[in-house]
Amino acid sequence: MNDREKILAAAVAALVALWGTSQGWDKYQTALERNLNTQRNVAQQLSTARTATKRGRSAQRKLRQWQRQSLPTDPDIAKSLYQDWLQQQLTAAGLKVKELSTRSPRTSSPNQQQFTFVVSATGKLAELTDFLYRFYQAKHLHRISKATLAPTDGRKALSISLTVDALSLEGGTRTEKLADGANDTLNRSLEQLRNNIVSRNLFATYEPAKSSPAVVAESTDTKAKQAKFSGINYGQDGWQMSVRMQDTGKVFYYREGDTIEIGQFKGTIEQLDGNRRRAIVASKTGRQQIRLGQTLAEAEPFGD
C-alpha cells in the first residue's frame, strides 16, 4: 500500500469513526431527553398526588367540623329539638310567629338527612335583624335557603316568609342534643348590624344622594368632620355606602359612580369594597380611601 492509499484509508476510517460518534451522540441525546421527560412526568404525578392528599386532609377536617355542627343523628329527636330551638329564637327576637311547619324529611344521600322548616311571621326590621344575628351565631349545620319580605301596616312592619334547611350527618357524636356554643365569624356586634340595616329603607327606590347648597358651602373642618362613613351593604344593585351626618342624624346613600360632595370634600366614588369595608374616591387632588367608621375629613391618599 503506497502513501496515497494509506492517506485515503485513514480518511475513510476517520469518517467512519465520526459517523459512529455522531450516531452515538444522537442516541445519547434521545435517551437523555426520554429520561428527562420521564423525570418531569414523575415529578408532576408526585405533585398531583401531594395536592390530592392535601385536599383530602382539608376535606376530612371540614367533614369533622360539619359533624360537630350536625343535628343529632336520631332524625325524630333532631327535627323536634331544632324546631323548638327555631321557635325560641324567633320569639326571643320579638317576631310574631304565625306558622312554623316542617316538610317531609328529604334524604340527599345515605350519609345525611335534611330537614326543611317553613316560617311565616311578622315584625319590624330590627326584630328580623335580631333573629338573623341569633341564627348565624348558632353552630348548627343550617341555612336560610329562601326569604321573602313584604311591607305591611303602612310599611311599619314586615311580613316575613323563610325557608330553613338543617342537616344531620352520619358520624355525628350527638344523638339527643343540639350543638352548643357560638360562631366567632360575626365580627360586628348586634347593635352595629342593626344600626346599619335599620337605617336603610329597603322598599324605597334608590336615588343618588344630592348635597344641599348649605352643606356644600360649609368648610371641611365642620361638615366633612361630621360626615361619617357609617355603613356598607350589598343589595340587588351592588354595594351601597351610607354616610351619616353626626350633628343632624341625616343619612346619605351612595353607589359606585355617584358624586359625593359634602363641605369641601368632593369626588366620584370609584369603588366600594365591602370585604375591606372601604370606599375609594377619585377627586381633583387624587384618589382617596375612606374606611368604615371614618369621617370624610379622615380620608387618606390611595395610590394606584
Side-chain angles (χ1 to χ4, degrees):
M1 181 181 295
N2 55 34
D3 292 340
R4 184 177 179 182
E5 290 174 341
K6 289 179 180 180
I7 295 173
L8 182 59
V12 171
L15 289 174
V16 171
L18 182 61
W19 178 83
T21 301
S22 176
Q23 290 293 103
W25 178 257
D26 290 342
K27 290 180 180 180
Y28 168 76
Q29 286 289 87
T30 301
L32 179 62
E33 184 66 25
R34 183 170 58 249
N35 291 336
L36 288 175
N37 287 336
T38 301
Q39 183 180 2
R40 283 193 290 266
N41 290 336
V42 171
Q44 184 173 357
Q45 292 172 6
L46 179 60
S47 176
T48 301
R50 287 174 175 170
T51 301
T53 301
K54 185 177 180 180
R55 289 178 177 173
R57 289 173 180 169
S58 176
Q60 289 177 345
R61 287 194 298 269
K62 194 68 175 177
L63 178 59
R64 287 193 293 268
Q65 177 188 338
W66 289 343
Q67 288 173 336
R68 290 193 294 269
Q69 296 178 249
S70 165
L71 268 59
T73 52
D74 185 301
D76 293 330
I77 293 178
K79 182 175 70 172
S80 177
L81 288 180
Y82 186 81
Q83 186 170 358
D84 290 345
W85 177 86
L86 195 58
Q87 175 76 47
Q88 291 170 4
Q89 305 313 307
L90 291 162
T91 304
L95 296 173
K96 296 179 177 60
V97 181
K98 300 168 62 177
E99 180 184 0
L100 175 54
S101 59
T102 60
R103 292 179 181 172
S104 300
R106 180 167 60 88
T107 303
S108 302
S109 75
N111 301 322
Q112 68 181 42
Q113 185 86 12
Q114 177 177 308
F115 305 93
T116 299
F117 303 84
V118 178
V119 178
S120 177
T122 57
K124 297 180 179 179
L125 185 57
E127 296 167 341
L128 175 61
T129 305
D130 192 326
F131 166 72
L132 293 176
Y133 189 83
R134 295 167 179 267
F135 185 90
Y136 288 109
Q137 261 206 328
K139 279 194 172 182
H140 311 315
L141 194 59
H142 61 178
R143 67 170 184 172
I144 296 176
S145 57
K146 184 179 180 181
T148 303
L149 308 178
T152 62
D153 191 20
R155 298 192 177 186
K156 295 180 180 179
L158 296 173
S159 174
I160 303 164
S161 177
L162 304 174
T163 300
V164 179
D165 299 324
L167 286 180
S168 173
L169 297 182
E170 183 183 44
T173 57
R174 288 168 288 96
T175 58
E176 298 182 352
K177 66 177 184 178
L178 298 175
D180 53 12
N183 283 324
D184 54 3
T185 55
L186 296 176
N187 53 11
R188 281 182 285 177
S189 67
L190 172 60
E191 184 178 359
Q192 289 175 314
L193 293 171
R194 187 191 289 123
N195 290 339
N196 288 341
I197 294 175
V198 174
S199 63
R200 302 178 59 196
N201 185 350
L202 300 181
F203 305 101
T205 302
Y206 169 74
E207 295 181 359
K210 296 180 180 179
S211 302
S212 65
V215 172
V216 177
E218 296 288 344
S219 67
T220 303
D221 290 339
T222 55
K223 286 301 179 183
K225 283 185 176 180
Q226 293 296 328
K228 185 176 183 179
F229 183 5
S230 59
I232 183 166
N233 303 283
Y234 191 83
Q236 184 176 359
D237 298 322
W239 289 104
Q240 175 182 270
M241 71 178 291
S242 55
V243 176
R244 179 184 294 274
M245 302 302 298
Q246 298 180 91
D247 53 350
T248 64
K250 189 172 183 179
V251 180
F252 299 97
Y253 299 100
Y254 302 91
R255 297 190 192 278
E256 290 183 357
D258 288 349
T259 297
I260 180 170
E261 184 175 354
I262 298 179
Q264 293 182 357
F265 185 94
K266 182 178 180 180
T268 300
I269 298 178
E270 187 176 279
Q271 181 187 21
L272 292 176
D273 190 340
N275 296 324
R276 294 184 174 88
R277 299 188 182 91
R278 69 183 183 186
I280 307 300
V281 179
S283 65
K284 292 182 178 179
T285 58
R287 302 171 77 207
Q288 300 181 72
Q289 172 182 266
I290 312 168
R291 295 190 178 276
L292 185 65
Q294 290 183 325
T295 65
L296 299 188
E298 296 172 324
E300 307 163 351
F302 186 78
D304 292 335

